[in-house]
Amino acid sequence: MAHLIMADQNRSSSAASKRILERAYALKTPDEAKALYGDWAVSYDQHLEQGLNYIAPACIAQILVNVLADRTASILDIGCGTGLVGAYLVGHGYSAIDGLDFSAAMLNQARSKQIYQKLLPGDLNTVLDIPDQTYDAGISCGTFTHGHVKADALDEILRVLKPGACFACTIHREVWQSAGFGSKFTQLTASGVAELESMNEQPFYENAPDDGRFCVIRRL
Ligand SMILES: C[S@@+](CC[C@H](N)C(=O)[O-])C[C@H]1O[C@@H](n2cnc3c(N)ncnc32)[C@H](O)[C@@H]1O
């Protein structure tokens, strides 16, 4: 797969970008995802922004803006990748943003943009090395999708958020049930840990179907 992606790296045509996206949507396991992002990191922004007109980072950042007035709030960008979401948050005036991702290659790209205070290596399918109730808010874009992260990761994410904090995230429509998000929200609400405050169906890419569920989850 690496040599195919390398061959694509200098082409920003939407055909090349769509081929990589198809590979991403065919991922079955987190190990496959890590390998893909290791190979893709350098050309990721070019493929997503120019090749595919990826609008989800701007949209989810705006959703956080709507519920988080305090521009000094500490925010964790979960599955931050190369930092596309972080760049929009900085544009909205937030300054205390950390990023977390399990791909060293994606974190290296994010580091070069000098957006984040801290960049934390971490796997969302395991226990995170972050103390309880650290952050005022969380955000995540494109990470709850095929072969990436199961709904139980929400337990860890909510653990590191302060009571009252909001978590703005996208969840791909196709994994909502299969990765357990529907039943997870029922469980979190019943146990008084968190509630799904809003959910809008929107596209990840300009002029594409409404494949994303853009959510605000409130830690209680
Ligand atoms: C589609 S990219 C989205 C990156 C960025 N948020 C954006 O919107 O451009 C998904 C990101 O999630 C990260 N990721 C996937 N599974 C993960 C896991 N289990 N733990 C931590 N990060 C993960 C990948 O490394 C990748 O950077």
Side-chain angles (χ1 to χ4, degrees), residues 28-138:
K28 295 276 185 289
T29 66
D31 282 347
E32 286 179 12
K34 199 183 250 185
L36 173 72
Y37 289 109
D39 294 333
W40 194 4
V42 171
S43 60
Y44 178 90
D45 287 4
Q46 189 184 29
H47 280 127
L48 267 286
E49 292 195 302
Q50 288 143 47
L52 294 166
N53 299 322
Y54 184 44
I55 54 173
C59 296
I60 198 69
Q62 182 59 54
I63 287 170
L64 188 66
V65 166
N66 295 343
V67 294
L68 185 66
D70 180 5
R71 296 302 195 264
T72 67
S74 57
I75 303 172
L76 182 61
D77 180 2
I78 294 154
C80 64
T82 61
L84 295 179
V85 171
Y88 283 105
L89 293 178
V90 168
H92 284 294
Y94 299 102
S95 53
I97 314 162
D98 290 348
L100 178 136
D101 204 285
F102 76 168
S103 166
M106 295 293 267
L107 287 172
N108 282 340
Q109 294 301 310
R111 191 168 294 110
S112 69
K113 294 180 185 168
Q114 301 185 326
I115 292 167
Y116 296 95
Q117 288 191 333
K118 281 191 276 182
L119 284 166
L120 311 168
D123 183 344
L124 290 160
N125 292 313
T126 66
V127 175
L128 301 175
D129 188 15
I130 300 173
D132 294 356
Q133 302 184 13
T134 298
Y135 290 98
D136 297 316

